[in-house]
Amino acid sequence: MEAAHRLARWITRATRSQPWVAQSGFTYLGLLFLIALLCLALAAASIVHSVESRREKELQLVFAGEQIAAAIDSYAVSSGRVAQPFPTELSELLSDQRSLVGLHHLRQIYVDPMTNSKEWGLLKTPQGGIIGVYSTSGERPLKQKNFPDGLSFPEQAKTYREWHFLATSAQGVVEAGPAPSSRNTQSPETLPHRP
């Protein structure tokens, strides 16, 4: 008991002669609070960056899909009246050897920004011609409505697979015949009804 009493007196004297010792606990708590606030701010910034990154990828997806659809249109227009006016592989858009002068409807096969792959889902006619593409990503899109003119994606789409980039020259094929088949090694899909 005497030792505890002596220890208490020593602590009292030490804190009177050195006031910083008594306040060091408050400084430590303040530092912990500041670190916690910084962690919360970094977490919020990370979420905002993630959302902005996804929005940017959606814009890249729309650009790439429209470029491929326009290349399919260019391929179909240059076909004339052949029985199969649509390419059977995307690589045919890079170098069209059907005429004496090779045509390049597309500079490159764009990477699907949602999957970071050059593998696209293909919308095909019953004869096997490619009339459009879609992303094979199973993620839910951020953008659900108010798409740019010319794009008619379904509102409240569950995945990016529902964002179909269809060649305008294929509209007659879609309306005249049965719904085009879609062939992809990952997941077969059918083209939904277009308004």
Side-chain angles (χ1 to χ4, degrees):
M1 187 70 132
E2 180 67 32
H5 189 43
R6 265 193 257 156
L7 180 62
R9 274 188 291 171
W10 180 81
I11 290 174
T12 306
R13 272 187 265 155
T15 56
R16 284 187 191 148
S17 63
Q18 299 173 353
W20 58 269
V21 173
Q23 294 183 3
S24 65
F26 291 112
T27 304
Y28 181 69
L29 285 176
L31 185 61
L32 285 177
F33 182 72
L34 180 64
I35 290 172
L37 283 177
L38 286 174
C39 287
L40 286 174
L42 286 174
S46 173
I47 291 170
V48 168
H49 175 71
S50 174
V51 169
E52 288 301 316
S53 175
R54 284 268 306 276
R55 288 187 199 280
E56 180 65 29
K57 284 184 175 184
E58 284 183 355
L59 289 174
Q60 292 172 2
L61 176 64
V62 169
F63 173 79
E66 286 182 325
Q67 291 297 309
I68 294 172
I72 293 169
D73 280 332
S74 174
Y75 185 96
V77 167
S78 69
S79 295
R81 296 212 172 262
V82 295
Q84 173 64 332
F86 298 107
T88 55
E89 294 180 14
L90 288 179
S91 60
E92 293 177 31
L93 299 173
L94 300 176
S95 180
D96 183 0
Q97 300 298 323
R98 297 175 299 164
S99 65
L100 295 175
V101 179
L103 299 174
H104 303 283
H105 304 285
L106 192 63
R107 287 183 179 187
Q108 63 180 346
I109 296 177
Y110 290 95
V111 172
D112 176 353
M114 297 304 167
T115 61
N116 288 325
S117 166
K118 288 189 177 186
E119 293 294 320
W120 289 85
L122 304 175
L123 301 168
K124 293 190 167 195
T125 64
Q127 294 80 24
I130 299 171
I131 58 172
V133 295
Y134 61 91
S135 174
T136 58
S137 172
E139 292 183 43
R140 182 173 175 78
L142 292 176
K143 189 168 183 71
Q144 294 289 327
K145 54 185 172 182
N146 300 326
F147 292 102
D149 293 339
L151 297 178
S152 58
F153 301 143
E155 289 193 11
Q156 306 303 322
K158 291 181 177 51
T159 67
Y160 289 111
R161 291 175 192 236
E162 296 178 35
W163 287 20
H164 291 176
F165 300 95
L166 188 65
T168 55
S169 58
Q171 292 294 339
V173 173
V174 173
E175 292 166 4
S181 66
S182 169
R183 237 173 76 195
N184 187 0
T185 56
Q186 295 180 358
S187 170
E189 307 237 350
T190 58
L191 186 66
H193 174 68
R194 292 258 189 229

